[in-house]
Amino acid sequence: NPDVSIAVQDMFKLVNTDHIIEFPNNTAEEAKAMRDHLIKVSKKWGRYTGGIDGIVNKMVVQAFIGGAISVEGVPNKDLTGLETLIFLKPENILFRRHNNGVYHPYQKNPFPLENHKPDYIKLNPDTYIYASIFNDLDEPYGIPPFLGALDSIKGQHHMKENFKQIMELMGM
């Protein structure tokens, strides 16, 4: 929907005006070296995002559309850093409450019938994060801010289709 698209664009422009990563427990030289390192390595974390600014934009948009930031950090082979970041669709995440009352994330398997894989794959809590933006329960699920607009969007779509049919009937 064009109206929602414009709203999302406006919202992420307002939210991501700029960001500064601070290291309050380090010297100015150490902080600069760490910031420079993050700028350098973040370019490969978001291969399709253009570095850290694009990653932040993607997180903001995902939060507005899906109600949460859902991202997994993939460590490199020697476990000294991140290889890449993978953005998982929040709607494909299921949380199961274990006996200790803590929710654990599972990703819906897109190919459960291949090789007899389970319907849901448990995600590693050390590498995966789900951060909801709106929520009024003890559950981790986020509520997308645009959820309330869906009914109006549906009505708007039907109205546009009806106008299109009327215009065709009138020869316009």
Side-chain angles (χ1 to χ4, degrees), residues 18-19 114 123:
D18 198 8
H19 63 275
E114 291 181 17
L123 295 168

Side-chain angles (χ1 to χ4, degrees), residues 95-105 137-140:
F95 286 92
R96 294 182 179 156
R97 182 178 259 173
H98 289 205
N99 291 337
N100 62 359
V102 175
Y103 287 97
H104 292 267
L137 302 172
D138 185 36
E139 298 173 349

